[in-house]
């Protein structure tokens, strides 16, 4: 007897697949999402596809250009700037908390992720690099020990991963993560915040270059008056 997959499970499967295709760049900004075609491709009815598309709209990946035309959302410089402003505010704060609260087990997990990231970088494996780097930042947030902070980041985590996937300066990303690890492992919150700020700013500039072909963004997202002092 064939087991019938619950509608909710079908929706989540379609949603997860489409989200990952957008993040990985297989569905690009401006590409159209057609319910009938997607339903045929996934072998499902149009109902879970429609619900998955609505969820992607809520997550900021997709938009309705017209009532009958749905596309992957093009990213504007303002979109990128706003997302990185939020990332700076939350990740820099989280890095300071992580430095103060990290356990030996936490640090061992970060070292393992860095070792895997180094192997993936040597191999030029974009999918693995994206996955490992996402895990690194997720682990850092968890180490901060603030559940409210994690819940605030969750709604935009996918879009941030989408953005950082566009940045293919992988050796530089690895070096920045290694430096950030050292700062957190030092147990000095100010040092960790300073390295996290440097990392977010560098990632912002790289992302803008790759998306819009600009050497530097017209206006960097950090607020200098609120930035922690740089640590040599």
């Amino acid at each position: 007897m064939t087991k019938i997959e619950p509608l909710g499970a079908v929706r989540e499967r379609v949603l997860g697949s489409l989200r990952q295709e957008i993040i990985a760049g297989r569905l690009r900004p401006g590409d159209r999402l057609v319910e009938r075609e997607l339903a045929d491709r996934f072998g499902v009815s149009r109902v879970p596809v429609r619900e998955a598309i609505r969820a992607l709209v809520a997550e900021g990946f997709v938009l309705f250009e017209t009532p009958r035309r749905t596309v992957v959302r093009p990213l504007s410089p303002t979109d990128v700037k706003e997302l990185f402003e939020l990332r700076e505010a939350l990740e820099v704060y989280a890095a300071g908390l992580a430095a103060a609260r990290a356990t030996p087990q936490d640090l061992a997990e970060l070292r393992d992720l860095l070792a895997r990231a180094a192997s993936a970088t040597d191999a030029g494996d974009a999918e693995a690099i994206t996955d490992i780097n996402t895990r690194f930042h997720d682990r850092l947030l968890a180490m901060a020990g603030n559940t409210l902070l994690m819940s605030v980041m969750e709604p935009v985590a996918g879009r941030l991963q989408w953005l950082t996937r566009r940045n293919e300066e992988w050796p530089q990303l690895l070096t920045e993560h290694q430096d950030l690890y050292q700062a957190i492992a030092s147990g000095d919150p100010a040092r960790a915040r300073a390295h996290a700020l440097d990392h977010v700013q560098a990632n912002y500039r790289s992302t803008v270059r790759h998306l819009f072909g600009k050497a530097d963004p017209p206006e960097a997202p950090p607020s200098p008056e609120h930035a922690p002092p740089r640590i040599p």
Side-chain angles (χ1 to χ4, degrees):
M1 181 176 178
T2 303
K3 185 178 180 180
I4 299 176
E5 189 177 11
L7 181 61
V10 176
R11 170 192 175 275
E12 289 303 312
R13 175 165 60 83
V14 174
L15 172 60
S17 296
L18 290 175
R19 185 194 293 119
Q20 190 54 43
E21 287 182 30
I22 294 171
I23 290 172
R26 290 188 289 275
L27 283 172
R28 302 179 63 81
D31 284 353
R32 190 177 179 188
L33 302 182
V34 180
E35 283 184 16
R36 180 185 65 258
E37 294 176 359
L38 291 172
D40 290 344
R41 175 152 73 90
F42 287 107
V44 300
S45 72
R46 294 173 65 171
V47 173
V49 171
R50 185 177 305 123
E51 292 179 354
I53 289 174
R54 287 174 179 166
L56 289 170
V57 170
E59 292 178 11
F61 287 104
V62 167
L63 60 81
F64 296 119
E65 282 193 336
T66 70
R68 295 189 178 184
R69 182 177 176 84
T70 306
V71 299
V72 178
R73 180 177 178 173
L75 289 166
S76 71
T78 298
D79 293 329
V80 176
K81 180 174 178 289
E82 289 179 351
L83 281 165
F84 271 92
E85 284 176 340
L86 181 62
R87 181 181 171 191
E88 178 199 320
L90 300 181
E91 286 196 7
V92 171
Y93 178 61
L97 292 178
R101 298 172 178 177
T103 66
Q105 179 61 33
D106 289 331
L107 296 176
E109 290 180 13
L110 287 185
R111 287 196 301 273
D112 177 65
L113 287 170
L114 287 172
R116 293 166 58 192
S119 297
T121 299
D122 288 342
D125 187 339
E127 292 291 336
I129 291 168
T130 301
D131 178 65
I132 295 165
N133 287 346
T134 298
R135 290 171 183 257
F136 180 89
H137 283 280
D138 287 348
R139 188 68 212 130
L140 191 154
L141 283 173
M143 287 165 58
N146 187 314
T147 55
L148 183 57
L149 181 64
M150 294 180 68
S151 68
V152 171
M153 279 292 287
E154 186 175 1
V156 297
R159 274 184 288 169
L160 284 170
Q161 186 181 357
W162 184 22
L163 282 179
T164 55
R165 176 64 180 83
R166 309 279 76 76
N167 178 6
E168 296 185 353
E169 297 177 11
W170 300 322
Q172 179 62 29
L173 281 173
L174 176 61
T175 297
E176 291 169 14
H177 283 171
Q178 290 168 335
D179 290 344
L180 181 55
Y181 164 78
Q182 292 295 337
I184 291 171
S186 75
D188 183 342
R191 179 181 172 188
R193 287 194 298 268
H195 278 279
L197 181 61
D198 284 345
H199 175 50
V200 173
Q201 289 178 340
N203 198 210
Y204 175 63
R205 290 190 295 269
S206 297
T207 300
V208 168
R209 279 198 302 273
H210 283 272
L211 285 175
F212 309 115
K214 298 177 181 179
D216 289 293
E219 181 183 349
S223 303
E225 64 271 23
H226 296 130
R230 293 174 62 87
I231 305 298

